[in-house]
Amino acid sequence: MTDSPRIGLIGGTGREGLGVALRLVHAGVPVLLGSRSQDRAEAAAGSLRSRVPAARVEPAENGVVIASSDILVLSVQFAGAEATIAEHRHRFRPGSLLIDLTVPVAFEGGRPRFVELAEGSSAEHIRARLPESVALGVALKTIPAHALAAIDRPLDCDDFICGDTEDARARTLEFVRLIPGLRGVDCGALDAARVLERMTLLAITLNRRYKTQGARFRVVGLP
Amino acid sequence: MTDSPRIGLIGGTGREGLGVALRLVHAGVPVLLGSRSQDRAEAAAGSLRSRVPAARVEPAENGVVIASSDILVLSVQFAGAEATIAEHRHRFRPGSLLIDLTVPVAFEGGRPRFVELAEGSSAEHIRARLPESVALGVALKTIPAHALAAIDRPLDCDDFICGDTEDARARTLEFVRLIPGLRGVDCGALDAARVLERMTLLAITLNRRYKTQGARFRVVGLP
């Protein structure tokens, strides 16, 4: 394990973060599970172990997770992302990779709405606030928490990847390969997040219209 | 046939329009095939008949097609859509349905780029310029011309529908059912086009990255 990159979740106690953690520990991948509070991190680790008794999970505060991880999964709510980055900016390891899962969607009177950002997407918004020495990738934005949590069922969908460099994309694709049943699709530069984040809004819309929880996407026609 | 709505294509001689026409005549649906020039409309009708000998196709100028159709498919280039609507605005039948296929993508140095519009999407841009008595639906935006043209192969993907009223969406879904192998997915109000048009950009990006021509989407997890 010493040669494998250490994987940590920032905000691993929300539904999406917990779903990702569940898929990782279910595949035998050790994770650092971060939260703003040590207590909540421990409670979430406990719930992981109750579903996957062999789970290799270590709960910690977000700051500790950030300082200790080579690959970080940012699974906080969009509204809290900027403050989380600002608070821990000095703790990131140079050369580490942040994988952004945030989606700028707000609910107004129960209806989901895309939050337009000057940078065009949440990923680009975060890029502008991240230390230069940290690479940024995008993954899992369109995979619903509900589908992630159903570990007895394969995800049978595609995961759309983009990133700020070719190296960031390659490392993000490698990370996605850790989750069985998920095919990583390389969508190129970081501005592809403008499409991907809106596709999450579409998935939420479809879930509501079709009274389901797991709408997700697959690409037909790739070689 | 007298009870069926008459279906016309505005700009049916481009690759996307011709692909849609091909799928329709292949399914036995009669179409009016429109172009700016009668000659080009006739040449396109000839090419349809060479692939589908039993094709029920009538070539005409766009203005004639618009005046004669209950359902119109707008498959002109985005750059020409506004002028086409303006030129023929008075010819639309009240109560007719326009199905918009346009996508605001421009190529710069060979790279595709999304053209940001004040209205948010090409569909909303067109809505603002269409007579009020004409309903607007969106369909087929993400279906590649290359896949449409391969009539010997099922499309095996989903088609994302939205529209300005529930009735427009219902009629658009009914239209999509005319094309075998295509499942219409109801994405709701017209502003869903903001996602759908960007998904076309993503499909173009994937075609280039994966050196293919037929990238398209399917939704997993719908009931």
Side-chain angles (χ1 to χ4, degrees):
Chain A
M1 184 195 154
T2 45
D3 286 327
S4 298
R6 281 167 69 91
I7 296 174
L9 285 94
I10 310 171
T13 61
R15 285 184 65 226
E16 184 79 11
L18 211 50
V20 175
L22 202 48
R23 289 278 170 177
L24 289 171
V25 298
H26 188 57
V29 179
V31 299
L32 291 168
L33 197 147
S35 171
R36 271 180 297 178
S37 104
Q38 180 74 30
D39 284 356
R40 278 211 304 279
E42 280 173 13
S47 87
L48 282 188
R49 285 191 203 99
S50 73
R51 296 216 37 209
V52 181
R56 295 159 74 187
V57 54
E58 204 175 308
E61 285 182 26
N62 283 330
V64 175
V65 169
I66 290 171
S68 320
S69 300
D70 306 301
I71 298 178
L72 286 156
V73 174
L74 182 65
S75 52
V76 297
Q77 293 283 321
F78 165 73
E82 189 169 340
T84 304
I85 301 284
E87 184 184 348
H88 301 293
R89 206 177 181 282
H90 60 288
R91 292 199 173 89
F92 285 89
R93 290 187 173 191
S96 62
L97 171 72
L98 182 75
I99 300 179
D100 169 40
L101 266 65
T102 63
V103 176
V105 169
F107 288 84
E108 268 173 12
R111 276 203 74 196
R113 184 180 63 78
F114 195 79
V115 179
E116 300 284 349
L117 295 164
E119 295 89 351
S121 66
S122 180
E124 292 162 283
H125 182 83
I126 285 165
R127 174 67 277 174
R129 284 148 184 85
L130 207 59
E132 269 189 42
S133 66
V134 179
L136 185 62
V138 157
L140 299 165
K141 291 221 186 209
T142 62
I143 316 291
H146 185 263
L148 286 167
I151 44 171
D152 46 329
R153 285 190 224 159
L155 285 164
D156 66 356
C157 64
D158 287 333
D159 189 24
F160 300 93
I161 304 303
C162 66
D164 59 355
T165 61
E166 212 176 299
D167 182 61
R169 288 198 295 278
R171 290 162 75 191
T172 306
L173 278 165
E174 206 171 322
F175 168 80
V176 167
R177 270 184 221 113
L178 296 171
I179 301 179
L182 206 53
R183 175 177 66 163
V185 172
D186 183 354
C187 301
L190 202 60
D191 61 3
R194 297 173 190 190
V195 186
L196 307 183
E197 294 173 7
R198 285 178 171 91
M199 285 171 74
T200 306
L201 174 66
L202 177 60
I204 295 169
T205 304
L206 292 177
N207 281 341
R208 294 161 66 93
R209 294 193 75 80
Y210 287 87
K211 304 199 193 317
T212 180
Q213 297 181 290
R216 54 203 186 275
F217 302 94
R218 189 186 292 161
V219 182
V220 178
L222 289 189
Chain B
M1 182 192 156
T2 45
D3 285 327
S4 300
R6 282 168 69 90
I7 296 174
L9 284 94
I10 309 172
T13 60
R15 286 184 65 225
E16 185 79 10
L18 211 50
V20 175
L22 203 48
R23 289 279 170 179
L24 289 170
V25 297
H26 189 57
V29 179
V31 299
L32 291 168
L33 197 148
S35 172
R36 271 181 296 177
S37 105
Q38 180 73 28
D39 285 355
R40 278 212 303 279
E42 281 173 13
S47 87
L48 282 188
R49 286 191 202 101
S50 72
R51 296 214 40 206
V52 181
R56 294 159 75 186
V57 53
E58 204 175 309
E61 283 182 29
N62 283 330
V64 174
V65 169
I66 290 171
S68 321
S69 301
D70 306 301
I71 297 179
L72 286 156
V73 174
L74 182 66
S75 52
V76 297
Q77 293 284 320
F78 164 73
E82 189 169 340
T84 304
I85 301 284
E87 183 183 348
H88 301 293
R89 206 177 180 283
H90 60 289
R91 292 199 173 90
F92 285 89
R93 291 184 171 193
S96 62
L97 170 71
L98 182 74
I99 300 180
D100 169 39
L101 267 65
T102 63
V103 176
V105 168
F107 287 83
E108 268 173 13
R111 277 203 73 196
R113 183 181 63 78
F114 195 79
V115 179
E116 300 285 349
L117 295 163
E119 295 89 353
S121 65
S122 180
E124 291 162 284
H125 182 81
I126 286 166
R127 175 67 277 173
R129 284 150 183 85
L130 206 60
E132 269 191 42
S133 66
V134 179
L136 185 62
V138 157
L140 299 165
K141 293 221 186 212
T142 61
I143 317 292
H146 185 263
L148 286 167
I151 43 171
D152 47 329
R153 286 189 224 159
L155 284 164
D156 67 354
C157 64
D158 286 334
D159 189 25
F160 300 93
I161 303 302
C162 66
D164 59 356
T165 62
E166 211 176 299
D167 182 60
R169 288 199 295 280
R171 291 162 74 190
T172 305
L173 279 165
E174 207 172 321
F175 168 79
V176 167
R177 270 183 222 113
L178 296 172
I179 300 179
L182 206 53
R183 175 177 68 164
V185 172
D186 184 353
C187 301
L190 202 61
D191 61 2
R194 298 173 190 190
V195 187
L196 306 182
E197 295 172 8
R198 285 176 171 92
M199 285 170 73
T200 306
L201 175 66
L202 177 59
I204 295 169
T205 304
L206 293 177
N207 282 339
R208 295 161 64 93
R209 294 192 74 80
Y210 286 87
K211 305 199 192 316
T212 181
Q213 296 181 290
R216 53 204 187 273
F217 303 94
R218 189 185 292 161
V219 182
V220 178
L222 290 189

